Amino acid sequence: MPKTTSSPALPISHTSSPAPSNSTSPKIAQQNVTSTTQETPKQENLSQLQHNGTLNLSLVRSWAYWLQNASPEIIAKSGFDLIVMDYSRDGGDETAYTREEIEMIKRAGVIPIAYISIGEAEDYRFYWNESWKTKPPDWLGPENPDWPGDYAVKYWDENWKRIVFEYLDKIIAQGFSGVYLDKVDEYRFWAENGYNESWAAKQMVEFILQIANYTRSKAGKGFIIIPQNGEWLLNYDNGSLLRAVSGWASEDVFYDGLKPSPWTDEKVIFLDSVAKAGKVVLVVDYVDNRTRGEEDLARILDFIEKARERGYLPYAAFEDRKLDRLDVIPGIQPPT
């Protein structure tokens, strides 16, 4: 995502693929947000999605993905059931959302989930030290050539884990209902750079389990854990990962931009297993070219139909992948 001179860029979604993908790291930039919203806001309380203090994701019928300069007011009126957003408007502590803003979203009946990259470090985050660019710590790897400012990390290192747990503390304090874990597929990068793939994958599985245990010990057993991409991790799961997560999210499942995705057959094998386990599956394809022409709508509807046929929850996002506004399509998204 393009950065501005006034603020760091927040993650744009790194695109998923069987090869190590870097299209999912959000970059938040200061941009004008022009979002279309429904005229009638949802009035139900979040308690309608709760049972014994735990959010029931099986009742969620729609979701949205907004990382850059997300507006709590617009989200609250949007009609979506679940929102994935950054903890901050532009990625920094100075513009972090207040607990009151997150509570407002929840009162509107929307479940707020916080984006966090656990497989890459981002140079606009609170934890970043500029000296790392010349004298990196042992756990910091090379910069991602596709996403300047994002750096591979040895996510199994205790020093990186301490940073992530501090980040999670901020998210919990804000009142988010869960976390959306990006770059869980970073094990593929390390597998291509001298590490055993099975070992690297199992280290990521263990990290996700630690995150689930840590957050739920502080925020309650119902705290939502949703990894994004890296479905192939389930190859290395003995069952504990699938039991621990609340669901799974994936990009480019049926479409890679405006063209059919070459990864569909590989992805749905794992996503189907998540759905069959009774977990939510969130899919986002960047299929909307914003023309609202016949071809555009046909592609959007085809994506939504393919996702729903498999029991997934679709979000049709704009082709540019900036995730800097909500994509509301009257009568289609969110469903009426």
Side-chain angles (χ1 to χ4, degrees), residues 19 38 42 54-55 72 79 99 114 134 141 159 199 271-272 332-333:
Q38 292 183 327
K42 288 170 40 177
T54 301
L55 287 168
R99 187 175 182 90
T134 55
N159 293 297
W199 181 87
L271 297 178
D272 283 352
I332 298 175
Q333 180 173 278

Side-chain angles (χ1 to χ4, degrees), residues 13-79:
S13 174
H14 292 251
T15 302
S16 156
S17 74
S21 163
N22 294 302
S23 60
T24 309
S25 153
K27 299 285 176 191
I28 297 175
Q30 294 284 354
Q31 300 182 9
N32 292 327
V33 178
T34 56
S35 176
T36 307
T37 59
Q38 292 183 327
E39 294 181 0
T40 305
K42 288 170 40 177
Q43 297 297 326
E44 75 260 26
N45 190 281
L46 194 59
S47 62
Q48 291 179 304
L49 295 172
Q50 293 180 333
H51 177 69
N52 294 331
T54 301
L55 287 168
N56 185 358
L57 293 184
S58 67
L59 298 178
V60 172
R61 292 291 176 264
S62 63
W63 77 289
Y65 201 178
W66 188 359
L67 295 179
Q68 299 190 66
N69 295 307
S71 164
E73 293 78 14
I74 291 175
I75 289 168
K77 297 176 182 179
S78 68

Side-chain angles (χ1 to χ4, degrees), residues 42 85 108 122 196 222 227 235 265 269 285 297 299:
K42 288 170 40 177
M85 58 191 290
E122 300 157 315
N196 176 272
N235 269 329
D265 291 342
I269 292 173
D285 284 5
L297 289 174
R299 182 176 51 254

Side-chain angles (χ1 to χ4, degrees), residues 221-295:
K221 65 180 181 180
F223 196 76
I224 295 166
I225 305 292
I226 300 179
Q228 175 177 266
N229 299 329
E231 304 91 333
W232 297 269
L233 273 178
L234 294 170
N235 269 329
Y236 304 94
D237 180 29
N238 62 9
S240 57
L241 177 61
L242 188 54
R243 286 192 298 270
V245 299
S246 309
W248 211 279
S250 189
E251 299 173 293
D252 305 323
V253 177
F254 300 103
Y255 281 85
D256 177 19
L258 306 184
K259 298 179 180 179
S261 172
W263 310 299
T264 299
D265 291 342
E266 296 176 59
K267 283 176 169 284
V268 299
I269 292 173
F270 298 105
L271 297 178
D272 283 352
S273 70
V274 176
K276 288 176 182 177
K279 312 280 183 166
V280 68
V281 175
L282 308 178
V283 293
V284 53
D285 284 5
Y286 300 89
V287 292
D288 188 354
N289 67 8
R290 304 169 73 173
T291 65
R292 293 293 184 268
E294 182 177 342
E295 185 176 340

